[in-house]
Amino acid sequence: MRARDWGVLFAMCGAIFLEGIDVAMLNVALPAIRAELGMSTGELQWVMSAYVLGYGGFMLVGGRAADLFGRRQMFVFWLAVFLLFSGLGGLASEGWMLIVARFVTGVAAAFMTPAGLSIITTSFEEGPQRNKALLIYSGTAAGGFSIGLVVGGLLTSIHWRWVFFAPVAMSLLILIAALTLVPKSRRPERTGQRIDLAGGITITAAIVLLVLGVERATHTGIGWTLGTFAAGLAFLAAFIAIERRVAAPLVRLGIFRSGAVVRANAIGVLFVGAFFGFQFLVVLYLQELRGWSTLQTSFAMIVIGLDAVLSPTLTPKLVNRFGNARVTFGGLLLAALAYALFLPVGADWTYLMMLPGLILLSLAFSLVYGPLTIVATDGIDEADQGLAGGLLYTSFQFGAALGLSTVTAVNIAATASGTPAAMLDGYHAALVVPLAAALIAGLISAFGLRPRKRPATELGDDKILATHRSPS
């Protein structure tokens, strides 16, 4: 790649790393935040839920906005908003101030993330070069989350406000890099076209309500949960009806005729849901049952961050040899194996007994996340790249909310009391959820397998084949 290409990739990787590290650091800092601001458990839940609602609810609109108003313009503007409200979160003196700041930060990430992904998919030619860029990008995203667990623990030991101030400094550096290195994108021609406001409002309302229903399922009654889901589905039906009629739809429904896109998004929901649910259970196990400190837990989990090294090194070679579909399928099987190895977890397990499962999970993440991103955007028209990225990240976010809510519900239902034996029973029951999700994702992935044609030209064992269109 040219120096300019590396510059673009560097700026976009910085942004996705920022998004991952921001979420991970906040997870670690929640107890300290509650202690200083005097927040109840319900209020503390909203610190995370507000971000999830903003991020998941506006992702599709954010992806389409990048296509309609210019990718670089959207990326730079919303990165600046992310910077501003992250800083305001660090200055919060009341719980409600922090919740509002996190919601706006989530909205900013919802516009910034698909814009960044579409900058990569439109800056690099489809094929080996784009695949390499996407695998580096996905490895950086995963590494940000893993590293954020440790960095969050270190910063929280100083003061929890540094968890918000650190992303401000990093955002500023990325903003300067984007303005310097990313070329200005041509504003798309929209003469005579109307912006699909009705579609934007209905799909945002639908996703916000559906994510809210999942997020609050374990904290509210069945009636409230069913009512929220019903309202979300009603808005979704209204959105589909609007998109079928308007001349310039927010979401071109024809994109769902691609089996590869549908499979990639379905797998994304299940795979990310399983990962977040599993991680949540392991953190509870280590801290609540075993009495490990936040920093000890962070360092124990950082081994999952090996995928940041494996994604740009090992995964391209495997994709080169076997294709995206087979690599993804293999990664899902490894994820299922990793979760299965944790099923018999005991109250006296040593870290060495946990390590094989964690290493397998890091390998699985490196084999699934990047190839899934490639499949979800491969063959999509340039005008719809922001939409494709928005769809995928909406699936990821909804999957995270669904996974966390489901394992929490199962864990609570299976824990009869607060005794160590009851807590362990709860973990055992809840660990079945990520295992089942990974197996279902593997089944869906199997439908994308088909005989692979032998490519005519190879570029070397460390590059993806130039003439190869990987099966999806």
Side-chain angles (χ1 to χ4, degrees), residues 196-471:
D196 182 17
L197 291 178
I201 292 171
T202 51
I203 191 59
T204 299
I207 295 175
V208 166
L209 287 168
L210 291 173
V211 173
L212 179 63
V214 170
E215 279 280 301
R216 306 300 295 171
T218 56
H219 305 280
T220 58
I222 186 66
W224 190 95
T225 300
L226 291 177
T228 305
F229 278 123
L233 292 174
F235 273 109
L236 183 61
F239 167 73
I240 294 172
I242 290 169
E243 299 307 280
R244 285 177 171 173
R245 292 199 313 266
V246 296
L250 177 73
V251 175
R252 185 178 58 80
L253 297 180
I255 198 172
F256 295 107
R257 295 193 186 101
S258 168
V261 169
V262 173
R263 279 193 300 274
N265 282 275
I267 293 169
V269 170
L270 292 164
F271 179 72
V272 173
F275 174 77
F276 273 80
F278 173 78
Q279 177 194 257
F280 177 70
L281 291 172
V282 172
V283 169
L284 287 182
Y285 165 75
L286 293 176
Q287 292 191 7
E288 293 188 348
L289 185 64
R290 304 298 301 277
W292 289 25
S293 69
T294 299
L295 205 55
Q296 285 176 312
T297 303
S298 300
F299 277 111
M301 299 290 286
I302 198 174
V303 68
I304 301 177
L306 285 173
D307 57 353
V309 177
L310 297 174
S311 289
T313 54
L314 174 65
T315 306
K317 297 179 181 181
L318 295 176
V319 169
N320 174 34
R321 184 179 178 89
F322 300 107
N324 285 307
R326 287 176 175 80
V327 171
T328 301
F329 180 71
L332 292 170
L333 293 183
L334 286 178
L337 178 59
Y339 301 141
L341 288 176
F342 260 85
L343 285 180
V345 63
D348 57 350
W349 268 31
T350 64
Y351 183 64
L352 287 178
M353 297 173 73
M354 307 176 209
L355 192 58
L358 296 176
I359 292 176
L360 280 177
L361 189 56
S362 71
L363 181 58
F365 213 101
S366 68
L367 297 183
V368 175
Y369 193 87
L372 205 62
T373 305
I374 294 171
V375 171
T377 56
D378 195 34
I380 303 298
D381 291 341
E382 182 172 329
D384 289 329
Q385 282 293 330
L387 170 62
L391 282 172
L392 183 64
Y393 281 103
T394 298
S395 298
F396 288 162
Q397 198 65 25
F398 187 75
L402 185 62
L404 287 169
S405 178
T406 305
V407 298
T408 301
V410 174
N411 184 38
I412 291 173
T415 304
S417 65
T419 64
M423 292 169 65
L424 197 58
D425 289 340
Y427 300 145
H428 286 155
L431 281 168
V432 175
V433 175
L435 173 60
L439 290 173
I440 296 171
L443 180 61
I444 294 172
S445 177
F447 286 99
L449 300 175
R450 60 174 181 263
R452 174 174 172 267
K453 295 181 179 180
R454 184 74 176 174
T457 306
E458 295 188 0
L459 298 180
D461 61 358
D462 63 340
K463 296 184 182 294
I464 297 172
L465 299 179
T467 58
H468 173 50
R469 290 293 299 275
S470 26

Side-chain angles (χ1 to χ4, degrees), residues 40-351:
S40 66
T41 301
E43 289 177 315
L44 197 67
Q45 167 76 16
W46 276 108
V47 174
M48 293 300 298
S49 296
Y51 183 88
V52 170
L53 289 177
Y55 196 177
F58 287 82
M59 185 69 74
L60 275 181
V61 175
R64 197 55 174 161
D67 295 329
L68 294 175
F69 301 108
R71 298 178 176 92
R72 181 180 183 268
Q73 294 90 319
M74 286 290 99
F75 178 83
V76 168
F77 175 79
W78 288 103
L79 177 58
V81 175
F82 188 98
L83 182 159
L84 174 63
F85 278 86
S86 183
L88 290 176
L91 296 173
S93 58
E94 300 286 344
W96 68 266
M97 297 179 183
L98 184 57
I99 291 170
V100 171
R102 290 306 293 170
F103 177 76
V104 180
T105 304
V107 173
F111 281 82
M112 178 182 73
T113 303
L117 178 59
S118 63
I119 286 174
I120 291 179
T121 56
T122 55
S123 298
F124 297 89
E125 184 180 354
E126 186 174 320
Q129 192 180 64
R130 182 189 294 180
N131 290 353
K132 181 179 181 180
L134 287 175
L135 291 171
I136 294 173
Y137 180 78
S138 62
T140 305
F145 193 85
S146 301
I147 294 170
L149 292 172
V150 177
V151 174
L154 293 172
L155 291 177
T156 303
S157 65
I158 301 172
H159 199 284
W160 65 264
R161 295 186 186 275
W162 281 103
V163 168
F164 294 90
F165 294 147
V168 172
M170 189 173 180
S171 299
L172 184 60
L173 292 175
I174 298 168
L175 184 61
I176 295 171
L179 290 171
T180 305
L181 302 173
V182 180
K184 292 183 178 179
S185 55
R186 181 177 57 85
R187 187 183 292 270
E189 178 59 44
R190 300 193 311 275
T191 304
Q193 295 185 22
R194 297 177 61 186
I195 304 302
D196 182 17
L197 291 178
I201 292 171
T202 51
I203 191 59
T204 299
I207 295 175
V208 166
L209 287 168
L210 291 173
V211 173
L212 179 63
V214 170
E215 279 280 301
R216 306 300 295 171
T218 56
H219 305 280
T220 58
I222 186 66
W224 190 95
T225 300
L226 291 177
T228 305
F229 278 123
L233 292 174
F235 273 109
L236 183 61
F239 167 73
I240 294 172
I242 290 169
E243 299 307 280
R244 285 177 171 173
R245 292 199 313 266
V246 296
L250 177 73
V251 175
R252 185 178 58 80
L253 297 180
I255 198 172
F256 295 107
R257 295 193 186 101
S258 168
V261 169
V262 173
R263 279 193 300 274
N265 282 275
I267 293 169
V269 170
L270 292 164
F271 179 72
V272 173
F275 174 77
F276 273 80
F278 173 78
Q279 177 194 257
F280 177 70
L281 291 172
V282 172
V283 169
L284 287 182
Y285 165 75
L286 293 176
Q287 292 191 7
E288 293 188 348
L289 185 64
R290 304 298 301 277
W292 289 25
S293 69
T294 299
L295 205 55
Q296 285 176 312
T297 303
S298 300
F299 277 111
M301 299 290 286
I302 198 174
V303 68
I304 301 177
L306 285 173
D307 57 353
V309 177
L310 297 174
S311 289
T313 54
L314 174 65
T315 306
K317 297 179 181 181
L318 295 176
V319 169
N320 174 34
R321 184 179 178 89
F322 300 107
N324 285 307
R326 287 176 175 80
V327 171
T328 301
F329 180 71
L332 292 170
L333 293 183
L334 286 178
L337 178 59
Y339 301 141
L341 288 176
F342 260 85
L343 285 180
V345 63
D348 57 350
W349 268 31
T350 64
Y351 183 64

